[in-house]
Amino acid sequence: MAITIKPSMILNGYILLRIPLFRIELDFFPDWENLCFGDASILHDGNAMIPCILLALGGNLVDGPGSSKLGLRTTTAIIFGRLVLVPPAGIGIVLLADKLGFLPPDDKMFRFVLLLQHSMPTSVLSGAIANLRGCGRESAAVLFWVHIFAIFSMAGWIVLYLHILF
């Protein structure tokens, strides 16, 4: 008996195969094993997108990070806001969640990761989205400088986070 595979079946199979309970049940439905190629192909496509996004970001920086239309004050304000103002807000959110009992007790690594995510630089994917909106050169310049200064700011924030937690 031949089964015709439709696109909706591939999408449903991909979603169902993400749930471990349904992976065990594949022995009872051998025809669903045909949908496993969708899982692997989507993962391979996703892995290939990371270098493509970095190439697009680098293409926007072809004239250098100083070639954007943003002024020095605007770029400095964005960097200051992202690397200096957001982490204290994250500290406040995490400490408030801890006081209210939303976090698991005595799990310092979980708290460290929650704190660390606030001090990370802006995602490169935001540059890809800005490129689609027509302001890729400006976002590439800001991302470049944010990632350069994040090397120094993250070191300071990590020391503070470790002091708070331990």
Side-chain angles (χ1 to χ4, degrees), residues 64-133:
S67 66
S68 71
K69 296 176 186 173
L70 293 176
L72 179 64
R73 291 178 62 191
T74 306
T75 305
T76 306
I78 292 171
I79 293 169
F80 181 79
R82 180 66 188 108
L83 298 178
V84 177
L85 297 180
V86 172
I91 291 172
I93 291 169
V94 172
L95 292 179
L96 179 66
D98 190 25
K99 295 273 189 210
L100 295 176
F102 291 132
L103 302 180
D106 299 329
D107 192 356
K108 293 184 179 187
M109 183 57 77
F110 183 65
R111 286 172 180 75
F112 180 70
V113 171
L114 288 177
L115 290 169
L116 193 61
Q117 74 178 356
H118 295 286
S119 60
M120 292 289 178
T122 308
S123 171
V124 176
L125 288 176
S126 64
I129 293 170
N131 196 13
L132 293 173
R133 299 276 183 174

